[in-house]
Every structure is written in structure tokens, then in C-alpha cells.
Amino acid sequence: MKYHYSKKEGWLGNPCGLVYFKNRYHLFFQVNPESPRYGRMHWGHAISDDLISWEECPVALSPDEELSCNSGSAVVHDGKIWLFYTSLSFDYTETVCAAYSEDGMSFTRCSQNPVAVMPAGGTKFRDPFVMRYGKGFLMLTGACVEGVAKVLMFESDNLINWRYKGEFLSDSRFGSVIEAPQLIEADGRWVFIIQSEKHLPTKVLFATGDLNGDGFVFDDEKDPFKPVEIGNDLLNPVTFTDREGAAVLMAWMFSTKMNSSAVSIPREITVNRNGGICMIPYGELRNRTVRESSFVSFGAGRLRVHFEGRTLFDKAYRECPEINVIEDVGTVEVFLDGGRETVSVFVC
């Protein structure tokens, strides 16, 4: 693939973290190197100068005294890359563990692991997202507590000792668990991203608001979460700020029908004057878009993505939106009206 990170061997899962460290971008992702299907998950690792062309590195984390090293995030602090991952035990208990590296290649597990555990009443506790905030660090985790989907909040001064602060979000509309919580600042606003267990109408949802030490104040309190990605093949986003200060998102492109997976192209997140969230191709990729694609058509008030007579996406519009398309081997990523909506589809 020209613009997407993918693997020819093993099973590629979702991205786990993005950081800029020692003049290179580092991408971490779920991978099963032992089989072309989901199994005992490891953390794969790749590096890049531009977020487009990737060089594969040795596996960063492998299961040790656990069943699987599941999803999480990465952050740079004090000359080290820190990885925070969901450690799944052989009895299926989820805890948050950490590992660090001074050279960006060899990682050492923290001797104090686990660094965070689920609160009382919890049955699911996963996808730790860690970021700098104020003079310390903030951690969000997806969770299920007493059958309700939640995002939980922790704080730390040193990335090792974490204090539970309480619920950041709680809403049964999202099902029994929220996954992949993310926070990123763009154009002076905070963007809060979650993955719902249910389709509402899609799983990946975005909200804007203000972040304070106690929680998140939504700009739209009645209906805070909106879809930006409206296709079905984009999941588990990760975000970070690049070396120029741009808010960047990458995600897992996965088709259950085709059992195909890749990491999406990088997208820059912007917030327009009306508070709407947009995603546009990152950097040089803006010059690689096409206005006309054999995979995308508009007619009779409907936008369609199709391949060899099969309609893979279909939505009604009052008028034809502005269309920009990134085509790659087996994939199409469509950006509508300057990124107000995006559609990501595996076509073959």
C-alpha cells in the first residue's frame, strides 16, 4: 500500500499510540505475529519521517506473565517513550501496565505494574489514554461499571503512581463499555473522541468542549457527540500533536467481511468557526487526493462507494457534496465538504 501502514504477515489490529521522539514519528499497534487472526496480542512498532512511509521495527511488547498486551497509548516524558497498555490476565482481568524506553526501540516493563486497576463494581477496564495536563498527567480509560459504559479518569505526577479521580463520562446509551477514549486540542477547542459499543449511528463519535481538572464541559450539552466518520470500516482512533502543533488522528481500517486491515492515512483534525469538527488528509496527502474516482459516484441524490457492481456505502444528500478521495490498494477514503464528513471503506 502506498499511503497506509499494513502487514503482509500475522494479524494487524488497531493502532495504540503515536509519538514524536528523537526526530522520528513512532507508531504502535496491535499485532499477532504468530497467526493471521486475532490471538495473543503484541505491540507492533514502526517509524516514519512523514507519517506516510513507514519502516517496520521489532515488536515493542510481547505477552509475559499475561494472556495478551491489549490496546493503550504512548507518551514522551523525560527523554523516554512510555507505553500504557491493557494487560489481560489468564483469568481475563484487565489492568493498566506501563513500559518505557530511552532509545525508542527496547522497552522495559515498569516494576510497579500494574499502575492502575479497575474500581469496585467494574467488569471491563481498557484502552488507557495518557496525556500531559497541567503540571502532571491525565489518564482516561474505557470501562464498564455495574453494567454501564463509562470513561474513568486518573491523574499522576510521575506516570507511575496514579490516583483515581472519578467518572469522566457515564452513559448507558453507548452500551456496556466505551473504548478508545481520546482527547486532543485543535484550534483552541478540546476534542473528545470515544468508540461506542453501539452504532449511534456509527461507533466512533466526536464532541467539543472545555477540559478542566474535574472533567469535560461539552459545548452541546443536549447532544454532545457527533459522527464525523460515517463509514463502517474505521475504528479505534488514536490522536497526537505533531512536531508542528497539528492535531493528528490515525485509526484502524478493518473489514469484517473481507478480514482485511490497515492503519488509515493520517488526518488533521480542525474545528471550524461554527464549532464543527473536520478531518482532512494530513500534509502532503492533500496533494494526493482526486476529485473523480471510479469507486465513488453521486446521482439521484445519493452518494455511493462501489466496486465491481457491489454498493459498499450509500447515503442520501440534498445536493452533491464537495468530494475528495484518497485511493490506495483495496481502500478508499472519502472526504466530503472539506472534511465535515469522511467515509472509509475497504473495497477489495
Side-chain angles (χ1 to χ4, degrees), residues 205-233:
L205 301 168
F206 298 73
T208 58
D210 288 318
L211 175 65
N212 59 45
D214 298 315
F216 197 79
V217 180
F218 294 101
D219 288 337
D220 183 348
E221 294 184 358
K222 292 183 179 180
D223 186 23
F225 287 99
K226 311 289 193 303
V228 179
E229 168 65 39
I230 57 175
N232 291 320
D233 292 352

Short mmCIF file of all heavy atoms in Angstrom, two decimals, residues 205-233:
data_model
loop_
_atom_site.label_atom_id
_atom_site.label_comp_id
_atom_site.label_asym_id
_atom_site.label_seq_id
_atom_site.Cartn_x
_atom_site.Cartn_y
_atom_site.Cartn_z
N LEU A 205 -17.29 8.51 17.72
CA LEU A 205 -18.05 9.74 17.92
C LEU A 205 -17.15 10.84 18.48
O LEU A 205 -16.21 10.57 19.22
CB LEU A 205 -19.22 9.49 18.88
CG LEU A 205 -20.22 8.41 18.43
CD1 LEU A 205 -21.16 8.04 19.58
CD2 LEU A 205 -21.02 8.87 17.22
N PHE A 206 -17.48 12.09 18.13
CA PHE A 206 -16.66 13.26 18.45
C PHE A 206 -17.50 14.30 19.20
O PHE A 206 -18.67 14.49 18.90
CB PHE A 206 -16.12 13.90 17.18
CG PHE A 206 -15.22 13.03 16.35
CD1 PHE A 206 -15.73 11.97 15.61
CD2 PHE A 206 -13.85 13.26 16.29
CE1 PHE A 206 -14.91 11.17 14.83
CE2 PHE A 206 -13.02 12.48 15.52
CZ PHE A 206 -13.55 11.42 14.79
N ALA A 207 -16.86 15.00 20.13
CA ALA A 207 -17.50 16.11 20.83
C ALA A 207 -16.47 17.20 21.07
O ALA A 207 -15.27 16.94 21.16
CB ALA A 207 -18.09 15.65 22.15
N THR A 208 -16.93 18.44 21.19
CA THR A 208 -16.05 19.55 21.53
C THR A 208 -16.46 20.13 22.88
O THR A 208 -17.61 19.98 23.32
CB THR A 208 -16.10 20.67 20.48
OG1 THR A 208 -17.46 21.14 20.36
CG2 THR A 208 -15.62 20.18 19.13
N GLY A 209 -15.51 20.79 23.53
CA GLY A 209 -15.81 21.40 24.82
C GLY A 209 -14.57 21.90 25.51
O GLY A 209 -13.53 22.14 24.87
N ASP A 210 -14.68 22.08 26.82
CA ASP A 210 -13.58 22.56 27.65
C ASP A 210 -13.17 21.47 28.62
O ASP A 210 -14.01 20.78 29.22
CB ASP A 210 -14.00 23.80 28.45
CG ASP A 210 -14.15 25.03 27.57
OD1 ASP A 210 -13.30 25.22 26.68
OD2 ASP A 210 -15.13 25.77 27.76
N LEU A 211 -11.87 21.33 28.80
CA LEU A 211 -11.32 20.36 29.74
C LEU A 211 -10.85 21.10 30.97
O LEU A 211 -10.13 22.09 30.88
CB LEU A 211 -10.15 19.62 29.08
CG LEU A 211 -9.35 18.65 29.95
CD1 LEU A 211 -10.22 17.48 30.38
CD2 LEU A 211 -8.12 18.16 29.19
N ASN A 212 -11.28 20.61 32.13
CA ASN A 212 -10.76 21.15 33.38
C ASN A 212 -10.28 20.00 34.26
O ASN A 212 -10.35 18.84 33.86
CB ASN A 212 -11.81 22.02 34.10
CG ASN A 212 -13.08 21.25 34.42
OD1 ASN A 212 -13.02 20.12 34.90
ND2 ASN A 212 -14.24 21.86 34.16
N GLY A 213 -9.81 20.30 35.39
CA GLY A 213 -9.23 19.27 36.23
C GLY A 213 -10.21 18.24 36.74
O GLY A 213 -9.81 17.19 37.24
N ASP A 214 -11.50 18.53 36.63
CA ASP A 214 -12.52 17.62 37.16
C ASP A 214 -13.32 16.90 36.10
O ASP A 214 -14.09 16.00 36.41
CB ASP A 214 -13.49 18.39 38.07
CG ASP A 214 -12.77 18.99 39.27
OD1 ASP A 214 -11.97 18.27 39.88
OD2 ASP A 214 -13.01 20.17 39.57
N GLY A 215 -13.18 17.31 34.84
CA GLY A 215 -13.97 16.65 33.81
C GLY A 215 -14.03 17.45 32.53
O GLY A 215 -13.17 18.30 32.26
N PHE A 216 -15.07 17.20 31.74
CA PHE A 216 -15.24 17.79 30.42
C PHE A 216 -16.58 18.51 30.36
O PHE A 216 -17.61 17.94 30.73
CB PHE A 216 -15.18 16.70 29.35
CG PHE A 216 -14.94 17.20 27.96
CD1 PHE A 216 -13.67 17.54 27.54
CD2 PHE A 216 -15.98 17.33 27.05
CE1 PHE A 216 -13.43 17.99 26.25
CE2 PHE A 216 -15.77 17.77 25.77
CZ PHE A 216 -14.48 18.11 25.36
N VAL A 217 -16.55 19.77 29.92
CA VAL A 217 -17.76 20.57 29.77
C VAL A 217 -18.07 20.64 28.29
O VAL A 217 -17.33 21.25 27.51
CB VAL A 217 -17.59 21.97 30.37
CG1 VAL A 217 -18.88 22.78 30.20
CG2 VAL A 217 -17.19 21.90 31.83
N PHE A 218 -19.15 20.01 27.87
CA PHE A 218 -19.49 19.91 26.46
C PHE A 218 -20.03 21.22 25.92
O PHE A 218 -20.80 21.91 26.59
CB PHE A 218 -20.53 18.81 26.23
CG PHE A 218 -20.03 17.42 26.51
CD1 PHE A 218 -20.35 16.79 27.71
CD2 PHE A 218 -19.24 16.76 25.59
CE1 PHE A 218 -19.91 15.51 27.97
CE2 PHE A 218 -18.78 15.47 25.84
CZ PHE A 218 -19.11 14.86 27.04
N ASP A 219 -19.67 21.54 24.69
CA ASP A 219 -20.25 22.71 24.03
C ASP A 219 -21.74 22.52 23.79
O ASP A 219 -22.53 23.46 23.91
CB ASP A 219 -19.54 22.97 22.70
CG ASP A 219 -18.14 23.52 22.88
OD1 ASP A 219 -17.86 24.10 23.96
OD2 ASP A 219 -17.32 23.38 21.96
N ASP A 220 -22.14 21.31 23.43
CA ASP A 220 -23.55 20.97 23.22
C ASP A 220 -23.94 19.95 24.28
O ASP A 220 -23.69 18.76 24.13
CB ASP A 220 -23.75 20.40 21.81
CG ASP A 220 -25.21 20.11 21.49
OD1 ASP A 220 -26.04 20.14 22.42
OD2 ASP A 220 -25.51 19.84 20.31
N GLU A 221 -24.53 20.42 25.36
CA GLU A 221 -24.82 19.53 26.48
C GLU A 221 -25.94 18.55 26.17
O GLU A 221 -25.97 17.44 26.71
CB GLU A 221 -25.17 20.34 27.71
CG GLU A 221 -24.01 21.17 28.25
CD GLU A 221 -24.35 21.88 29.53
OE1 GLU A 221 -25.52 21.76 29.97
OE2 GLU A 221 -23.48 22.56 30.10
N LYS A 222 -26.88 18.92 25.28
CA LYS A 222 -28.02 18.05 24.98
C LYS A 222 -27.64 16.89 24.05
O LYS A 222 -28.11 15.78 24.21
CB LYS A 222 -29.16 18.87 24.37
CG LYS A 222 -29.80 19.86 25.34
CD LYS A 222 -30.97 20.57 24.68
CE LYS A 222 -31.63 21.54 25.65
NZ LYS A 222 -32.78 22.26 25.03
N ASP A 223 -26.81 17.18 23.07
CA ASP A 223 -26.43 16.17 22.08
C ASP A 223 -24.96 16.35 21.74
O ASP A 223 -24.61 16.79 20.65
CB ASP A 223 -27.31 16.30 20.83
CG ASP A 223 -27.07 15.19 19.83
OD1 ASP A 223 -26.58 14.12 20.23
OD2 ASP A 223 -27.36 15.39 18.63
N PRO A 224 -24.07 16.00 22.68
CA PRO A 224 -22.66 16.39 22.51
C PRO A 224 -21.90 15.63 21.44
O PRO A 224 -21.02 16.20 20.79
CB PRO A 224 -22.07 16.12 23.90
CG PRO A 224 -22.95 15.07 24.49
CD PRO A 224 -24.33 15.36 23.97
N PHE A 225 -22.21 14.34 21.23
CA PHE A 225 -21.39 13.52 20.35
C PHE A 225 -21.96 13.45 18.94
O PHE A 225 -23.16 13.22 18.75
CB PHE A 225 -21.24 12.11 20.92
CG PHE A 225 -20.34 12.05 22.12
CD1 PHE A 225 -20.87 12.04 23.39
CD2 PHE A 225 -18.96 12.02 21.96
CE1 PHE A 225 -20.03 11.99 24.50
CE2 PHE A 225 -18.12 11.98 23.06
CZ PHE A 225 -18.65 11.96 24.33
N LYS A 226 -21.07 13.68 17.97
CA LYS A 226 -21.48 13.68 16.56
C LYS A 226 -20.56 12.75 15.77
O LYS A 226 -19.37 12.62 16.08
CB LYS A 226 -21.36 15.10 15.97
CG LYS A 226 -22.00 16.21 16.79
CD LYS A 226 -23.50 16.15 16.76
CE LYS A 226 -24.16 17.42 17.30
NZ LYS A 226 -23.78 17.78 18.67
N PRO A 227 -21.09 12.11 14.74
CA PRO A 227 -20.21 11.36 13.85
C PRO A 227 -19.51 12.29 12.87
O PRO A 227 -20.09 13.26 12.39
CB PRO A 227 -21.17 10.42 13.12
CG PRO A 227 -22.48 11.18 13.10
CD PRO A 227 -22.50 12.00 14.37
N VAL A 228 -18.25 12.05 12.61
CA VAL A 228 -17.54 12.69 11.50
C VAL A 228 -17.24 11.62 10.46
O VAL A 228 -17.54 11.79 9.29
CB VAL A 228 -16.25 13.39 11.98
CG1 VAL A 228 -15.52 14.02 10.80
CG2 VAL A 228 -16.56 14.44 13.03
N GLU A 229 -16.68 10.51 10.90
CA GLU A 229 -16.53 9.34 10.04
C GLU A 229 -17.86 8.59 9.99
O GLU A 229 -18.38 8.16 11.02
CB GLU A 229 -15.43 8.42 10.59
CG GLU A 229 -15.38 7.05 9.96
CD GLU A 229 -15.01 7.07 8.49
OE1 GLU A 229 -14.14 7.89 8.10
OE2 GLU A 229 -15.58 6.28 7.73
N ILE A 230 -18.42 8.44 8.79
CA ILE A 230 -19.74 7.83 8.66
C ILE A 230 -19.68 6.48 7.96
O ILE A 230 -20.73 5.87 7.70
CB ILE A 230 -20.72 8.78 7.94
CG1 ILE A 230 -20.19 9.18 6.56
CG2 ILE A 230 -21.00 10.00 8.81
CD1 ILE A 230 -21.18 10.02 5.76
N GLY A 231 -18.49 6.00 7.63
CA GLY A 231 -18.37 4.65 7.10
C GLY A 231 -18.32 3.64 8.25
O GLY A 231 -18.35 4.00 9.43
N ASN A 232 -18.24 2.36 7.89
CA ASN A 232 -18.23 1.31 8.91
C ASN A 232 -16.86 0.66 9.10
O ASN A 232 -16.71 -0.23 9.93
CB ASN A 232 -19.24 0.22 8.53
CG ASN A 232 -20.68 0.68 8.64
OD1 ASN A 232 -21.03 1.40 9.58
ND2 ASN A 232 -21.51 0.30 7.68
N ASP A 233 -15.86 1.10 8.34
CA ASP A 233 -14.58 0.40 8.34
C ASP A 233 -13.47 1.17 9.06
O ASP A 233 -12.30 0.84 8.91
CB ASP A 233 -14.13 0.10 6.90
CG ASP A 233 -15.02 -0.93 6.23
OD1 ASP A 233 -15.87 -1.52 6.91
OD2 ASP A 233 -14.87 -1.15 5.01
#
